[in-house]
């Protein structure tokens, strides 16, 4: 039962608040590698990431800086890893006049202001995204998330955790909602990041209603993934554009972009990383519904899901509680929560009342684990008890103390 936490953050120049350019990111990566003994990951002549043991640092398309943590055993280790990472990044970045912002959507700059990272797969995605949805480029260049990856022990265990995770994902979206600004102004959402996924590419995103079918299992997910249109195939250190083509055709050696070639297991693993539902299945389950945020919330997100999914009683309680939720209700929450958060009406009450119950189950689950991890939930306890999401607090500051200027957010949410 390991815990793997990933989080992304925006780097910016402290003097101008402009996004970091690739040259600055390269300098930062080289600096971290030298000072803290990380191995460099290169694509051609460009440094595109770092690795140290089972941790890695990678770049999202717009230069968002991502830590993919090692699979650890307790939330104390998760939080220690986050703190150590932020310390290392700051140690090098501060000397360069660079800061990092913990928020779910780039609050100030337009798409044209965001530098493009020199990674082959992103060129392919950048050309394809606008063909299948109106907001895909925003996902690539202007969003940050925090997610946790959790284990399952069998197909039956995977099914239970997948269903619990999907049903409750909108609650995580509400609790961690932290992306209310676009290009210097309120955008009408509490989690714009979450809303954007509803019009990015509906072939590869969403709430996967089939997971709740009686016959759901590994086979059905494979069938779904085989039919999700491909992005690329990686051969001879180059990304080959195969956008819109089918992995089923690839299995039959009939892929127009590389005729006659058959896929390797690596091709399949790559393809699975180009699917973006709210919960994603690999050899573990990824919880993908939360906005990026300040460091306390980077520890609270894994804590919430570990308490719910790694404790048998809590997991069963979640399944019982959500058993009669309909596909329409789950979809309604998916659509409305990014706008109305915990105030979303649900079954005669508000989503906040469900969130109270969910938080209690998460706390009980962590208590029973016996590692004294409950304190990591403090950052969300406050949200549930007041019903006020992080985004609403930011909006209050924007309309009040900040005098309708977005710039103070770079100080407020600075790591």
């Amino acid at each position: 039962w390991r815990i793997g936490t990933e989080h992304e953050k925006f780097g910016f120049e402290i003097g101008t608040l402009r996004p970091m350019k690739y040259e600055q990111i390269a300098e930062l990566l080289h600096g971290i590698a030298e000072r803290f003994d990380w191995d460099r990951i290169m694509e051609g002549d460009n440094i595109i990431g770092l690795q140290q043991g089972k941790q890695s640092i990678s770049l999202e398309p717009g230069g968002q800086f991502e830590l993919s943590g090692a699979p650890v055993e307790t939330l104390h280790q998760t939080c220690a890893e986050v703190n150590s990472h932020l310390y290392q990044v700051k140690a090098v970045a501060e000397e360069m006049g660079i800061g990092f912002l913990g928020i779910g959507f780039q609050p100030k700059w337009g798409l044209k202001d965001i530098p493009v990272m020199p990674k082959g797969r992103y060129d392919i995605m950048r050309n394809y995204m606008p063909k299948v949805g109106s907001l895909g480029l925003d996902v690539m260049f202007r969003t940050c998330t925090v997610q946790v990856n959790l284990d399952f022990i069998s197909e039956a265990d995977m099914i239970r955790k997948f269903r619990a995770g999907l049903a409750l994902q909108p609650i995580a979206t509400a609790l961690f909602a932290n992306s209310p600004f676009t290009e210097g102004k309120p955008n009408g959402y509490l989690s714009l990041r979450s809303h954007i996924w509803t019009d990015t590419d509906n072939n590869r995103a969403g709430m996967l209603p089939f997971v709740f079918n009686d016959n759901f299992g590994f086979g059905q997910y494979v069938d779904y993934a085989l039919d999700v249109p491909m992005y690329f195939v990686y051969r001879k250190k180059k990304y080959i554009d195969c956008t819109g083509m089918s992995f089923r055709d690839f299995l039959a050696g009939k892929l127009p972009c590389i005729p006659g070639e058959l896929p390797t297991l690596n091709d399949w693993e790559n393809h699975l990383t180009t699917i973006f539902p709210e919960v994603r299945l690999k050899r573990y389950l990824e919880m993908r519904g939360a906005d990026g945020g300040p460091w306390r919330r980077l520890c609270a997100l894994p804590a919430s899901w570990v308490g719910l999914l790694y404790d048998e009683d809590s997991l069963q309680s979640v399944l019982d509680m959500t058993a009669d939720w309909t596909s329409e209700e789950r979809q309604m929450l998916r659509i409305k929560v990014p706008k109305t958060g915990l105030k979303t009406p649900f079954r005669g009450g508000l989503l906040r009342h469900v969130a109270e119950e969910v938080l209690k189950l998460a706390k009980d689950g962590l208590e029973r684990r016996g590692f004294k991890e409950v304190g990591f939930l403090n950052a969300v306890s406050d949200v549930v008890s007041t019903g006020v999401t992080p985004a609403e607090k930011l909006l209050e500051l924007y309309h009040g103390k900040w005098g309708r200027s977005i710039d103070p957010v770079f100080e407020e949410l600075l790591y």
Side-chain angles (χ1 to χ4, degrees):
W1 305 121
R2 295 301 169 104
I3 306 163
T5 306
E6 304 179 28
H7 77 271
E8 303 159 356
K9 51 210 162 297
F10 294 108
F12 65 93
E13 296 175 352
I14 289 168
T16 63
L17 306 183
R18 295 191 75 82
M20 283 169 87
K21 300 188 222 17
Y22 172 71
E23 294 67 33
Q24 292 166 310
I25 290 174
E27 186 185 332
L28 177 62
L29 288 171
H30 284 302
I32 295 171
E34 277 159 33
R35 200 174 305 184
F36 300 105
D37 199 26
W38 289 68
D39 297 323
R40 295 167 173 82
I41 301 170
M42 308 294 291
E43 188 173 302
D45 296 333
N46 294 319
I47 185 167
I48 57 162
L50 300 173
Q51 194 147 14
Q52 188 180 74
K54 292 192 168 172
Q55 294 183 65
S56 63
I57 294 173
S58 58
L59 302 179
E60 291 297 297
Q64 304 94 314
F65 214 72
E66 177 174 9
L67 174 73
S68 299
V72 299
E73 290 172 39
T74 71
L75 292 159
H76 300 287
Q77 292 168 327
T78 294
C79 218
E81 176 185 72
V82 167
N83 287 340
S84 153
H85 168 73
L86 293 174
Y87 164 76
Q88 292 184 10
V89 170
K90 271 175 77 166
V92 181
E94 275 177 351
E95 292 169 7
M96 298 169 56
I98 297 290
F100 279 91
L101 180 67
I103 199 167
F105 190 85
Q106 166 54 255
K108 187 174 169 80
W109 303 100
L111 272 173
K112 63 180 190 319
D113 303 305
I114 311 286
V116 180
M117 296 302 108
K119 287 176 75 169
R121 62 187 281 175
Y122 294 154
D123 288 341
I124 292 170
M125 288 167 69
R126 195 171 77 202
N127 294 330
Y128 179 69
M129 286 282 205
K131 298 174 187 166
V132 288
S134 66
L135 300 173
L137 296 179
D138 278 326
V139 159
M140 289 179 66
F141 293 102
R142 294 203 286 179
T143 62
C144 280
T145 182
V146 50
Q147 64 179 54
V148 65
N149 306 322
L150 299 174
D151 289 321
F152 49 83
I153 201 164
S154 64
E155 186 170 36
D157 187 42
M158 176 279 291
I159 294 167
R160 295 172 74 222
K161 287 173 176 163
F162 208 153
R163 287 174 180 164
L166 269 175
L168 295 187
Q169 214 55 231
I171 289 177
T173 300
L175 292 176
F176 291 86
N178 192 38
S179 45
F181 304 117
T182 302
E183 293 176 32
K185 291 194 266 319
N187 53 35
Y189 290 87
L190 300 178
S191 175
L192 182 67
R193 185 205 63 84
S194 179
H195 166 70
I196 281 170
W197 277 113
T198 62
D199 191 8
T200 288
D201 182 348
N202 288 329
N203 284 321
R204 65 182 78 242
M207 290 291 276
L208 307 187
F210 67 85
V211 171
F212 296 88
N213 295 351
D214 291 343
N215 63 350
F216 176 66
F218 291 136
Q220 283 73 10
Y221 194 84
V222 168
D223 282 337
Y224 156 73
L226 283 173
D227 290 324
V228 170
M230 291 177 63
Y231 278 158
F232 54 75
V233 174
Y234 190 62
R235 289 288 183 276
K236 296 183 186 150
K237 301 198 172 173
K238 287 271 185 297
Y239 287 94
I240 299 162
D241 187 338
C242 302
T243 45
M245 298 173 196
S246 139
F247 209 96
R248 279 188 197 280
D249 291 344
F250 197 1
L251 280 174
K254 294 182 184 152
L255 207 56
C257 56
I258 44 171
E261 284 241 15
L262 290 170
T264 62
L265 191 56
N266 209 31
D267 291 323
W268 176 242
E269 284 185 16
N270 268 335
H271 179 57
L272 289 181
T273 66
T274 68
I275 302 175
F276 309 117
E278 291 297 284
V279 176
R280 178 159 71 182
L281 176 61
K282 294 183 181 166
R283 286 180 295 183
Y284 43 82
L285 283 163
E286 300 183 355
M287 304 294 132
R288 296 172 47 86
D291 286 358
W295 74 263
R296 277 198 171 78
R297 271 183 256 143
L298 301 181
C299 306
L301 184 274
S304 311
W305 287 115
V306 166
L308 292 166
L309 301 187
Y310 273 3
D311 175 76
E312 181 50 43
D313 293 354
S314 291
L315 175 57
Q316 191 53 51
S317 299
V318 169
L319 292 167
D320 294 343
M321 177 172 100
T322 58
D324 65 342
W325 292 12
T326 65
S327 177
E328 291 71 30
E329 284 177 316
R330 290 191 299 268
Q331 186 57 19
M332 177 278 291
L333 290 175
R334 171 72 191 90
I335 298 301
K336 291 195 170 163
V337 160
K339 214 165 192 157
T340 46
L342 292 171
K343 297 179 180 69
T344 306
F346 185 67
R347 297 201 162 187
L350 295 176
L351 192 63
R352 176 182 170 187
H353 304 133
V354 186
E356 283 169 352
E357 212 174 317
V358 169
L359 181 66
K360 181 171 179 348
L361 291 174
K363 282 186 171 164
D364 292 348
L366 290 181
E367 286 282 357
R368 284 190 288 266
R369 266 169 64 81
F371 293 120
K372 299 197 166 30
E373 298 165 319
V374 178
F376 292 119
L377 290 174
N378 291 349
V380 281
S381 301
D382 182 42
V383 177
V384 173
S385 60
T386 59
V388 181
T389 61
E392 288 161 295
K393 286 192 172 159
L394 293 177
L395 287 163
E396 205 178 300
L397 286 166
Y398 172 85
H399 289 295
K401 197 166 109 185
W402 298 352
R404 297 184 173 235
S405 161
I406 197 65
D407 293 359
V409 80
F410 287 86
E411 207 159 302
E412 180 77 21
L413 295 180
L414 179 73
Y415 284 111

